[in-house]
Amino acid sequence: MKIKHHPDLSMLMSCAAGSQPEAMAAVMASHLAVCPDCVRDVHEMEQIGAVLFEDLPAEDVDTKAAAMIMRGDTLTAEDNRTTADTARSPDADVPGPLRDLIGDRFENASWKWLAPGIWHIPIKLSDRAVGDLRLIKVAPGQHLPAHSHSGTELSLVLKGSYRDETGEYGVGDVADLDDDIEHAPVADADEGCICLIATEAPAKFKSRLARMIQPLTGL
Ligand SMILES: [Zn+2]
């Protein structure tokens, strides 16, 4: 897996400081699970932080990632928690941090229809959490409506790929978009795309139709 797009510096720093909102931390934990480069960067930032604040112990990055994933213990895929069997099957394709939520095979997860060619699994955050976390599955070649955001959108490709105005994103890539970027993603023509997406605030759609159905989709 060759990862081309990583979280930006401020996202890595807030990850190292353990100060991320729950939804962002879940996406970061899933990226760190596949990206040794960002694990190294976060580890270095933690060490710098420990020097600056000597009273605070330098946590091992694995501990930090584990803490984020443990925070994920408060997360539940709505109506879809699979506690019975989270053991990894030989053909598992769901990353470790998400397996307790949706099982270990994307094709067996309980996708809910959202719009033509688009399915999702909303992930319930803890009561205190702000923002939104969900998995989105997009059919091959499907276009998503053009939209921007009121805050940060952090998305991680888990399967397939997509492209938008900012580039092409494959498995392991993170798109770290702030609120001044408008984009209209298109899923790969052969494989489609599955992403884990954290947002701070609801999307702002350009089209009137997309805005009209927004209360129904929860996006
Ligand atoms: Zn990375």
Side-chain angles (χ1 to χ4, degrees), residues 3 5-7 12 31-32 34-39 41 172 174:
I3 296 175
H5 300 279
H6 302 268
L12 290 169
H31 178 69
L32 292 178
V34 295
C35 185
D37 290 345
C38 283
V39 168
D41 289 349
V174 164

Side-chain angles (χ1 to χ4, degrees), residues 64-145:
K64 184 76 77 180
M68 288 193 294
I69 293 163
M70 278 174 63
R71 233 184 300 171
D73 280 345
T74 63
L75 310 174
T76 52
E78 285 180 3
D79 307 324
N80 191 41
R81 192 167 178 88
T82 53
T83 51
D85 180 15
T86 56
R88 181 173 191 165
S89 70
D91 52 357
D93 58 0
V94 173
L98 297 172
R99 262 176 230 145
D100 280 351
L101 301 174
I102 64 163
D104 56 9
R105 294 278 299 158
F106 284 120
E107 67 182 20
N108 296 333
S110 298
W111 295 99
K112 296 174 181 174
W113 186 87
L114 188 60
I118 306 172
W119 298 263
H120 72 154
I121 301 175
I123 295 176
K124 193 173 185 316
L125 302 170
S126 70
D127 293 343
R128 321 179 290 289
V130 292
D132 182 88
L133 179 67
R134 69 185 63 220
L135 287 148
I136 299 266
K137 180 169 76 168
V138 185
Q142 177 71 42
H143 292 240
L144 267 69

